Amino acid sequence: MSPAAITLLFLAFAIIMFVTEKIPLGLTSMIVCVGLVVTKVLDVSTAFKGFINSNVILFVAMFIVGGALFETGMANEIGGIVTKFAKTERQLIVAIMVIVGLMSGVLSNTGTAAVLIPVVIGIAAKSGFKRSRLLMPLVFAAAMGGNLSLIGAPGNMIAQSTLEPIGLKFGFFEYAIVGLPILIAGIIFYATVGYKLLPNHDTANDDSIFDDSQDFSSVPQWKKTLSLVILIATLLGMIFEDQIGIKLCITGCIGAILLIITGVISENNALKSIDLKTIFLFGGTLSLAEALDKTGAGEMIANAVINALGANPSPMLLTFVVFILCCIMTNFMSNTATTALMAPICLSIAQGMGADPRAVLMACVIGGSCAYATPIGMPANTMVVGAGGYKFNDYVKAGLPLIVIATIVSMIILPIAFPFFPG
């Protein structure tokens, strides 16, 4: 059996296990990771390199930074301030989505989510609303906000670099032509109809540092203040990543190290704040994404769908199929990998038709960001699995309608804003 066929079998196994949850999500990821090595699809170093992926390092660091903010009680104090202005659960959801969405437009969407997750947990604790109701809108808004500017998500720059050799490009805020209406529609949806689809779980505190019943009255003020100062400094480091030349994950590590060295958080509590379920789920699943890319299985899926359209598909049909295909792929592969895989295919087809490729590439980027329906679709989704007590089907139930909304909005705006055959 070819490596591509084996990879597709593991993909099918992962989908079935993720949906049914007969075994834990992290264990499914590890079975796939180890299985790809045993079947010689990947070597050991390639299969397990996901565990030293920069996003995993960022996870670990920001779990500690967030843990310190929560353990000192500062997250609760911030939560108390926010809940003075947003009294109801719906108002909180709207406020969180607006703030996160706009921040993600100019920051890394993963970094934005990582910084604000502990704050939202604090808001939930202070307000008495369940964190499972607030964390999912947060990560969805982070993904939607990534489509507001050229630097909002890595896939945006990939599409730009695909266009540049043929003398075309997107403006800095041109993605917002489609991205902003999707963000607005998404916020309205979860404040109204979609509100009923959000998970409603009681999260067990277990040994987690995010214990809602903690008493923070004995925590020294200097610890609270320093935890906030280091969080803000970490955020600023992420904002000015390019200027200071330090990657997000390293900035996060510096923040985590400072918190432990200064005694704001103990080593034991720092370790308790790291959600290993998230690490195993994300790190293990990256091996599947790597196999889809390395064996050509991902490209086989893409080409099979595109070829089914025939030699001369209508531009509108092509755009729709590209969008849906990217939506599906990005929920099981990295959205960056999805865009990198699909962008050159989209460009060559559009050029062959004599059409302006920008509409198809925009569909590729926006579709590639619609990773709402699985906990592995994007790093931010994975980060809240433990804190929100989520199951795979929670993402499907709450995320699929958002994909439908994004598809409808995109199919209306794309032909108008990016005509296939401009005059």
Side-chain angles (χ1 to χ4, degrees):
M1 193 180 292
S2 70
I6 294 170
T7 301
L8 292 174
L9 285 175
F10 274 115
L11 174 63
F13 166 78
I15 293 171
I16 293 168
M17 288 298 105
F18 283 153
V19 171
T20 60
E21 290 199 53
K22 295 295 184 184
I23 54 178
L25 299 180
L27 184 56
T28 296
S29 293
M30 291 310 301
I31 290 171
V32 170
C33 181
V34 173
L36 289 167
V37 176
V38 171
T39 55
K40 302 192 184 316
V41 172
L42 298 176
D43 58 40
V44 175
S45 59
T46 304
F48 284 87
K49 75 176 183 180
F51 290 96
I52 55 169
N53 176 276
S54 60
N55 280 320
V56 172
I57 296 169
L58 178 65
F59 287 176
V60 172
M62 294 311 296
F63 277 139
I64 295 172
V65 173
L69 196 74
F70 197 91
E71 189 198 41
T72 59
M74 181 51 74
N76 275 37
E77 291 192 12
I78 295 171
I81 295 169
V82 173
T83 52
K84 285 180 182 177
F85 298 97
K87 301 289 186 184
T88 68
E89 192 176 49
R90 289 177 195 262
Q91 288 175 352
L92 278 174
I93 289 169
V94 171
I96 289 166
M97 293 187 78
V98 169
I99 293 167
V100 174
L102 294 177
M103 284 180 64
S104 292
V106 291
L107 295 174
S108 151
N109 46 22
T110 303
T112 300
V115 168
L116 293 181
I117 284 168
V119 176
V120 171
I121 292 174
I123 291 171
K126 199 70 177 178
S127 65
F129 299 123
K130 292 178 181 177
R131 66 174 76 154
S132 65
R133 306 278 294 167
L134 304 180
L135 288 173
M136 196 165 278
L138 181 153
V139 295
F140 288 169
M144 290 186 284
N147 291 324
L148 296 184
S149 76
L150 189 62
I151 61 171
N156 301 6
M157 289 299 297
I158 290 172
Q160 184 83 322
S161 62
T162 305
L163 283 173
E164 284 173 349
I166 60 171
L168 296 174
K169 65 177 183 177
F170 291 117
F172 188 82
F173 287 113
E174 205 162 0
Y175 286 100
I177 294 172
V178 184
L180 184 58
I182 291 175
L183 177 61
I184 293 170
I187 293 171
I188 293 171
F189 175 71
Y190 287 111
T192 54
V193 181
Y195 175 79
K196 297 178 181 178
L197 300 177
L198 293 171
N200 190 28
H201 299 318
D202 291 313
T203 47
N205 290 318
D206 301 324
D207 290 328
S208 168
I209 198 169
F210 299 114
D211 183 350
D212 298 340
S213 62
Q214 277 184 265
D215 178 14
F216 302 109
S217 59
S218 61
V219 178
Q221 185 59 44
W222 71 267
K223 283 192 175 186
K224 295 182 179 183
T225 304
L226 193 53
S227 69
L228 182 60
V229 168
I230 291 176
L231 175 74
I232 293 171
T234 303
L235 176 60
L236 289 172
M238 291 178 175
I239 293 173
F240 298 106
E241 177 188 10
D242 292 336
Q243 287 81 355
I244 64 177
I246 301 175
K247 291 188 175 296
L248 298 183
C249 59
I250 302 303
T251 299
C253 286
I254 293 170
I257 290 168
L258 286 174
L259 287 163
I260 297 170
I261 287 177
T262 55
V264 173
I265 187 171
S266 66
E267 182 186 6
N268 283 342
N269 282 335
L271 292 172
K272 279 171 62 179
S273 69
I274 299 169
D275 187 347
L276 289 178
K277 295 177 195 171
T278 297
I279 304 303
F280 282 117
L281 175 60
F282 190 75
T285 307
L286 284 179
S287 64
L288 181 58
E290 185 75 24
L292 284 167
D293 185 31
K294 183 179 176 183
T295 64
E299 191 172 1
M300 282 169 57
I301 295 170
N303 284 332
V305 174
I306 298 294
N307 290 338
L309 297 177
N312 295 298
S314 75
M316 190 67 188
L317 178 61
L318 172 65
T319 304
F320 175 74
V321 170
V322 163
F323 190 95
I324 295 300
L325 182 58
C326 287
C327 282
I328 294 169
M329 292 175 66
T330 195
N331 278 283
F332 297 97
M333 291 176 65
S334 148
N335 49 12
T336 306
T338 298
T339 307
L341 174 66
M342 290 297 297
I345 297 172
C346 295
L347 178 65
S348 61
I349 293 173
Q351 285 182 307
M353 296 167 59
D356 184 341
R358 298 202 312 153
V360 185
L361 279 172
M362 182 65 79
C364 174
V365 170
I366 302 295
S369 69
C370 291
Y372 315 123
T374 70
I376 58 170
M378 56 185 173
N381 285 15
T382 318
M383 288 186 79
V384 296
V385 170
Y390 297 130
K391 296 185 178 298
F392 187 92
N393 285 334
D394 290 331
Y395 290 87
V396 177
K397 182 180 176 182
L400 272 181
L402 186 54
I403 292 177
V404 173
I405 290 169
T407 304
I408 293 170
V409 171
S410 298
M411 290 305 105
I412 293 171
I413 295 175
L414 282 172
I416 299 170
F418 302 95
F420 303 108
F421 302 104

PDB file of all heavy atoms in Angstrom, residues 86-114:
ATOM      1  N   ALA A  86     -20.629  44.706  30.980  1.00  0.00           N
ATOM      2  CA  ALA A  86     -21.426  43.707  30.255  1.00  0.00           C
ATOM      3  C   ALA A  86     -22.141  42.844  31.291  1.00  0.00           C
ATOM      4  O   ALA A  86     -21.544  41.959  31.897  1.00  0.00           O
ATOM      5  CB  ALA A  86     -20.517  42.861  29.362  1.00  0.00           C
ATOM      6  N   LYS A  87     -23.404  43.113  31.499  1.00  0.00           N
ATOM      7  CA  LYS A  87     -24.142  42.484  32.591  1.00  0.00           C
ATOM      8  C   LYS A  87     -24.635  41.076  32.266  1.00  0.00           C
ATOM      9  O   LYS A  87     -24.648  40.201  33.122  1.00  0.00           O
ATOM     10  CB  LYS A  87     -25.346  43.358  32.972  1.00  0.00           C
ATOM     11  CG  LYS A  87     -24.989  44.769  33.415  1.00  0.00           C
ATOM     12  CD  LYS A  87     -24.311  44.770  34.765  1.00  0.00           C
ATOM     13  CE  LYS A  87     -24.099  46.193  35.272  1.00  0.00           C
ATOM     14  NZ  LYS A  87     -23.357  46.215  36.540  1.00  0.00           N
ATOM     15  N   THR A  88     -25.043  40.854  31.007  1.00  0.00           N
ATOM     16  CA  THR A  88     -25.623  39.564  30.651  1.00  0.00           C
ATOM     17  C   THR A  88     -24.609  38.702  29.913  1.00  0.00           C
ATOM     18  O   THR A  88     -23.581  39.194  29.424  1.00  0.00           O
ATOM     19  CB  THR A  88     -26.861  39.743  29.749  1.00  0.00           C
ATOM     20  OG1 THR A  88     -26.439  40.257  28.474  1.00  0.00           O
ATOM     21  CG2 THR A  88     -27.857  40.701  30.377  1.00  0.00           C
ATOM     22  N   GLU A  89     -24.921  37.424  29.805  1.00  0.00           N
ATOM     23  CA  GLU A  89     -24.022  36.502  29.102  1.00  0.00           C
ATOM     24  C   GLU A  89     -23.895  36.875  27.628  1.00  0.00           C
ATOM     25  O   GLU A  89     -22.799  36.840  27.062  1.00  0.00           O
ATOM     26  CB  GLU A  89     -24.552  35.075  29.247  1.00  0.00           C
ATOM     27  CG  GLU A  89     -23.556  34.009  28.820  1.00  0.00           C
ATOM     28  CD  GLU A  89     -24.080  32.604  29.081  1.00  0.00           C
ATOM     29  OE1 GLU A  89     -25.227  32.308  28.692  1.00  0.00           O
ATOM     30  OE2 GLU A  89     -23.333  31.803  29.662  1.00  0.00           O
ATOM     31  N   ARG A  90     -24.998  37.254  27.011  1.00  0.00           N
ATOM     32  CA  ARG A  90     -24.954  37.662  25.598  1.00  0.00           C
ATOM     33  C   ARG A  90     -24.073  38.889  25.409  1.00  0.00           C
ATOM     34  O   ARG A  90     -23.297  38.972  24.447  1.00  0.00           O
ATOM     35  CB  ARG A  90     -26.364  37.948  25.082  1.00  0.00           C
ATOM     36  CG  ARG A  90     -27.240  36.713  24.918  1.00  0.00           C
ATOM     37  CD  ARG A  90     -28.635  37.128  24.481  1.00  0.00           C
ATOM     38  NE  ARG A  90     -29.613  36.070  24.640  1.00  0.00           N
ATOM     39  CZ  ARG A  90     -30.020  35.263  23.671  1.00  0.00           C
ATOM     40  NH1 ARG A  90     -29.538  35.419  22.453  1.00  0.00           N
ATOM     41  NH2 ARG A  90     -30.916  34.330  23.888  1.00  0.00           N
ATOM     42  N   GLN A  91     -24.198  39.852  26.304  1.00  0.00           N
ATOM     43  CA  GLN A  91     -23.369  41.058  26.206  1.00  0.00           C
ATOM     44  C   GLN A  91     -21.890  40.722  26.360  1.00  0.00           C
ATOM     45  O   GLN A  91     -21.030  41.293  25.674  1.00  0.00           O
ATOM     46  CB  GLN A  91     -23.797  42.070  27.272  1.00  0.00           C
ATOM     47  CG  GLN A  91     -25.137  42.732  27.007  1.00  0.00           C
ATOM     48  CD  GLN A  91     -25.581  43.641  28.141  1.00  0.00           C
ATOM     49  OE1 GLN A  91     -24.968  43.684  29.213  1.00  0.00           O
ATOM     50  NE2 GLN A  91     -26.667  44.378  27.921  1.00  0.00           N
ATOM     51  N   LEU A  92     -21.584  39.781  27.263  1.00  0.00           N
ATOM     52  CA  LEU A  92     -20.188  39.354  27.438  1.00  0.00           C
ATOM     53  C   LEU A  92     -19.654  38.698  26.170  1.00  0.00           C
ATOM     54  O   LEU A  92     -18.519  38.955  25.762  1.00  0.00           O
ATOM     55  CB  LEU A  92     -20.085  38.366  28.611  1.00  0.00           C
ATOM     56  CG  LEU A  92     -20.021  38.962  30.014  1.00  0.00           C
ATOM     57  CD1 LEU A  92     -20.070  37.857  31.054  1.00  0.00           C
ATOM     58  CD2 LEU A  92     -18.749  39.790  30.182  1.00  0.00           C
ATOM     59  N   ILE A  93     -20.478  37.851  25.559  1.00  0.00           N
ATOM     60  CA  ILE A  93     -20.059  37.170  24.331  1.00  0.00           C
ATOM     61  C   ILE A  93     -19.746  38.194  23.237  1.00  0.00           C
ATOM     62  O   ILE A  93     -18.719  38.109  22.555  1.00  0.00           O
ATOM     63  CB  ILE A  93     -21.149  36.173  23.862  1.00  0.00           C
ATOM     64  CG1 ILE A  93     -21.190  34.969  24.812  1.00  0.00           C
ATOM     65  CG2 ILE A  93     -20.899  35.713  22.428  1.00  0.00           C
ATOM     66  CD1 ILE A  93     -22.384  34.044  24.604  1.00  0.00           C
ATOM     67  N   VAL A  94     -20.621  39.185  23.090  1.00  0.00           N
ATOM     68  CA  VAL A  94     -20.402  40.228  22.079  1.00  0.00           C
ATOM     69  C   VAL A  94     -19.128  41.016  22.386  1.00  0.00           C
ATOM     70  O   VAL A  94     -18.287  41.245  21.506  1.00  0.00           O
ATOM     71  CB  VAL A  94     -21.615  41.181  21.998  1.00  0.00           C
ATOM     72  CG1 VAL A  94     -21.298  42.395  21.117  1.00  0.00           C
ATOM     73  CG2 VAL A  94     -22.836  40.453  21.454  1.00  0.00           C
ATOM     74  N   ALA A  95     -18.956  41.418  23.652  1.00  0.00           N
ATOM     75  CA  ALA A  95     -17.779  42.207  24.041  1.00  0.00           C
ATOM     76  C   ALA A  95     -16.491  41.426  23.793  1.00  0.00           C
ATOM     77  O   ALA A  95     -15.516  41.961  23.235  1.00  0.00           O
ATOM     78  CB  ALA A  95     -17.883  42.602  25.519  1.00  0.00           C
ATOM     79  N   ILE A  96     -16.489  40.150  24.188  1.00  0.00           N
ATOM     80  CA  ILE A  96     -15.299  39.312  23.995  1.00  0.00           C
ATOM     81  C   ILE A  96     -14.987  39.162  22.509  1.00  0.00           C
ATOM     82  O   ILE A  96     -13.824  39.314  22.084  1.00  0.00           O
ATOM     83  CB  ILE A  96     -15.513  37.924  24.645  1.00  0.00           C
ATOM     84  CG1 ILE A  96     -15.490  38.044  26.174  1.00  0.00           C
ATOM     85  CG2 ILE A  96     -14.443  36.927  24.187  1.00  0.00           C
ATOM     86  CD1 ILE A  96     -16.019  36.820  26.901  1.00  0.00           C
ATOM     87  N   MET A  97     -16.008  38.898  21.699  1.00  0.00           N
ATOM     88  CA  MET A  97     -15.778  38.674  20.268  1.00  0.00           C
ATOM     89  C   MET A  97     -15.296  39.933  19.554  1.00  0.00           C
ATOM     90  O   MET A  97     -14.445  39.870  18.671  1.00  0.00           O
ATOM     91  CB  MET A  97     -17.039  38.120  19.603  1.00  0.00           C
ATOM     92  CG  MET A  97     -17.412  36.716  20.056  1.00  0.00           C
ATOM     93  SD  MET A  97     -18.767  35.976  19.125  1.00  0.00           S
ATOM     94  CE  MET A  97     -17.897  35.484  17.610  1.00  0.00           C
ATOM     95  N   VAL A  98     -15.832  41.088  19.940  1.00  0.00           N
ATOM     96  CA  VAL A  98     -15.397  42.352  19.324  1.00  0.00           C
ATOM     97  C   VAL A  98     -13.933  42.627  19.658  1.00  0.00           C
ATOM     98  O   VAL A  98     -13.121  42.922  18.767  1.00  0.00           O
ATOM     99  CB  VAL A  98     -16.284  43.527  19.800  1.00  0.00           C
ATOM    100  CG1 VAL A  98     -15.671  44.857  19.385  1.00  0.00           C
ATOM    101  CG2 VAL A  98     -17.689  43.394  19.218  1.00  0.00           C
ATOM    102  N   ILE A  99     -13.583  42.512  20.944  1.00  0.00           N
ATOM    103  CA  ILE A  99     -12.204  42.793  21.371  1.00  0.00           C
ATOM    104  C   ILE A  99     -11.218  41.825  20.716  1.00  0.00           C
ATOM    105  O   ILE A  99     -10.199  42.237  20.150  1.00  0.00           O
ATOM    106  CB  ILE A  99     -12.092  42.703  22.910  1.00  0.00           C
ATOM    107  CG1 ILE A  99     -12.892  43.835  23.562  1.00  0.00           C
ATOM    108  CG2 ILE A  99     -10.632  42.755  23.358  1.00  0.00           C
ATOM    109  CD1 ILE A  99     -13.104  43.661  25.060  1.00  0.00           C
ATOM    110  N   VAL A 100     -11.521  40.528  20.796  1.00  0.00           N
ATOM    111  CA  VAL A 100     -10.606  39.515  20.242  1.00  0.00           C
ATOM    112  C   VAL A 100     -10.515  39.635  18.730  1.00  0.00           C
ATOM    113  O   VAL A 100      -9.423  39.560  18.155  1.00  0.00           O
ATOM    114  CB  VAL A 100     -11.083  38.096  20.634  1.00  0.00           C
ATOM    115  CG1 VAL A 100     -10.227  37.035  19.956  1.00  0.00           C
ATOM    116  CG2 VAL A 100     -11.023  37.911  22.134  1.00  0.00           C
ATOM    117  N   GLY A 101     -11.657  39.843  18.063  1.00  0.00           N
ATOM    118  CA  GLY A 101     -11.658  39.953  16.610  1.00  0.00           C
ATOM    119  C   GLY A 101     -10.799  41.102  16.118  1.00  0.00           C
ATOM    120  O   GLY A 101      -9.988  40.938  15.196  1.00  0.00           O
ATOM    121  N   LEU A 102     -10.936  42.271  16.744  1.00  0.00           N
ATOM    122  CA  LEU A 102     -10.157  43.438  16.319  1.00  0.00           C
ATOM    123  C   LEU A 102      -8.672  43.270  16.635  1.00  0.00           C
ATOM    124  O   LEU A 102      -7.811  43.640  15.836  1.00  0.00           O
ATOM    125  CB  LEU A 102     -10.702  44.706  16.982  1.00  0.00           C
ATOM    126  CG  LEU A 102     -12.126  45.115  16.558  1.00  0.00           C
ATOM    127  CD1 LEU A 102     -12.588  46.341  17.326  1.00  0.00           C
ATOM    128  CD2 LEU A 102     -12.186  45.369  15.053  1.00  0.00           C
ATOM    129  N   MET A 103      -8.367  42.685  17.814  1.00  0.00           N
ATOM    130  CA  MET A 103      -6.963  42.454  18.156  1.00  0.00           C
ATOM    131  C   MET A 103      -6.308  41.475  17.188  1.00  0.00           C
ATOM    132  O   MET A 103      -5.149  41.646  16.787  1.00  0.00           O
ATOM    133  CB  MET A 103      -6.846  41.923  19.585  1.00  0.00           C
ATOM    134  CG  MET A 103      -7.026  42.972  20.660  1.00  0.00           C
ATOM    135  SD  MET A 103      -6.879  42.292  22.337  1.00  0.00           S
ATOM    136  CE  MET A 103      -5.169  41.736  22.346  1.00  0.00           C
ATOM    137  N   SER A 104      -7.049  40.443  16.797  1.00  0.00           N
ATOM    138  CA  SER A 104      -6.496  39.426  15.892  1.00  0.00           C
ATOM    139  C   SER A 104      -6.208  39.986  14.504  1.00  0.00           C
ATOM    140  O   SER A 104      -5.441  39.395  13.752  1.00  0.00           O
ATOM    141  CB  SER A 104      -7.460  38.243  15.761  1.00  0.00           C
ATOM    142  OG  SER A 104      -7.539  37.541  16.970  1.00  0.00           O
ATOM    143  N   GLY A 105      -6.857  41.097  14.171  1.00  0.00           N
ATOM    144  CA  GLY A 105      -6.613  41.697  12.870  1.00  0.00           C
ATOM    145  C   GLY A 105      -5.202  42.234  12.714  1.00  0.00           C
ATOM    146  O   GLY A 105      -4.678  42.303  11.601  1.00  0.00           O
ATOM    147  N   VAL A 106      -4.590  42.631  13.822  1.00  0.00           N
ATOM    148  CA  VAL A 106      -3.244  43.211  13.743  1.00  0.00           C
ATOM    149  C   VAL A 106      -2.213  42.410  14.533  1.00  0.00           C
ATOM    150  O   VAL A 106      -1.037  42.748  14.547  1.00  0.00           O
ATOM    151  CB  VAL A 106      -3.249  44.678  14.230  1.00  0.00           C
ATOM    152  CG1 VAL A 106      -4.003  45.554  13.243  1.00  0.00           C
ATOM    153  CG2 VAL A 106      -3.872  44.801  15.613  1.00  0.00           C
ATOM    154  N   LEU A 107      -2.671  41.365  15.215  1.00  0.00           N
ATOM    155  CA  LEU A 107      -1.762  40.481  15.957  1.00  0.00           C
ATOM    156  C   LEU A 107      -1.917  39.065  15.437  1.00  0.00           C
ATOM    157  O   LEU A 107      -2.832  38.767  14.677  1.00  0.00           O
ATOM    158  CB  LEU A 107      -2.107  40.488  17.454  1.00  0.00           C
ATOM    159  CG  LEU A 107      -1.940  41.780  18.229  1.00  0.00           C
ATOM    160  CD1 LEU A 107      -2.482  41.600  19.641  1.00  0.00           C
ATOM    161  CD2 LEU A 107      -0.490  42.175  18.289  1.00  0.00           C
ATOM    162  N   SER A 108      -1.069  38.186  15.869  1.00  0.00           N
ATOM    163  CA  SER A 108      -1.273  36.764  15.611  1.00  0.00           C
ATOM    164  C   SER A 108      -2.577  36.337  16.268  1.00  0.00           C
ATOM    165  O   SER A 108      -2.825  36.640  17.436  1.00  0.00           O
ATOM    166  CB  SER A 108      -0.105  35.968  16.208  1.00  0.00           C
ATOM    167  OG  SER A 108      -0.508  34.680  16.582  1.00  0.00           O
ATOM    168  N   ASN A 109      -3.435  35.627  15.512  1.00  0.00           N
ATOM    169  CA  ASN A 109      -4.698  35.193  16.128  1.00  0.00           C
ATOM    170  C   ASN A 109      -4.451  34.177  17.245  1.00  0.00           C
ATOM    171  O   ASN A 109      -5.162  34.157  18.238  1.00  0.00           O
ATOM    172  CB  ASN A 109      -5.696  34.659  15.086  1.00  0.00           C
ATOM    173  CG  ASN A 109      -5.077  33.699  14.095  1.00  0.00           C
ATOM    174  OD1 ASN A 109      -4.036  33.097  14.368  1.00  0.00           O
ATOM    175  ND2 ASN A 109      -5.717  33.535  12.951  1.00  0.00           N
ATOM    176  N   THR A 110      -3.412  33.351  17.075  1.00  0.00           N
ATOM    177  CA  THR A 110      -3.063  32.397  18.144  1.00  0.00           C
ATOM    178  C   THR A 110      -2.565  33.136  19.386  1.00  0.00           C
ATOM    179  O   THR A 110      -2.962  32.825  20.511  1.00  0.00           O
ATOM    180  CB  THR A 110      -1.985  31.414  17.664  1.00  0.00           C
ATOM    181  OG1 THR A 110      -2.445  30.745  16.490  1.00  0.00           O
ATOM    182  CG2 THR A 110      -1.659  30.381  18.729  1.00  0.00           C
ATOM    183  N   GLY A 111      -1.703  34.123  19.175  1.00  0.00           N
ATOM    184  CA  GLY A 111      -1.170  34.902  20.291  1.00  0.00           C
ATOM    185  C   GLY A 111      -2.257  35.659  21.028  1.00  0.00           C
ATOM    186  O   GLY A 111      -2.273  35.713  22.262  1.00  0.00           O
ATOM    187  N   THR A 112      -3.186  36.243  20.270  1.00  0.00           N
ATOM    188  CA  THR A 112      -4.296  36.981  20.880  1.00  0.00           C
ATOM    189  C   THR A 112      -5.128  36.064  21.766  1.00  0.00           C
ATOM    190  O   THR A 112      -5.454  36.402  22.911  1.00  0.00           O
ATOM    191  CB  THR A 112      -5.193  37.595  19.780  1.00  0.00           C
ATOM    192  OG1 THR A 112      -4.424  38.483  18.982  1.00  0.00           O
ATOM    193  CG2 THR A 112      -6.364  38.355  20.395  1.00  0.00           C
ATOM    194  N   ALA A 113      -5.470  34.896  21.238  1.00  0.00           N
ATOM    195  CA  ALA A 113      -6.262  33.938  22.013  1.00  0.00           C
ATOM    196  C   ALA A 113      -5.505  33.508  23.262  1.00  0.00           C
ATOM    197  O   ALA A 113      -6.080  33.433  24.357  1.00  0.00           O
ATOM    198  CB  ALA A 113      -6.614  32.727  21.153  1.00  0.00           C
ATOM    199  N   ALA A 114      -4.211  33.223  23.099  1.00  0.00           N
ATOM    200  CA  ALA A 114      -3.401  32.743  24.225  1.00  0.00           C
ATOM    201  C   ALA A 114      -3.370  33.758  25.362  1.00  0.00           C
ATOM    202  O   ALA A 114      -3.450  33.398  26.542  1.00  0.00           O
ATOM    203  CB  ALA A 114      -1.978  32.442  23.752  1.00  0.00           C
TER     204      ALA A 114
END
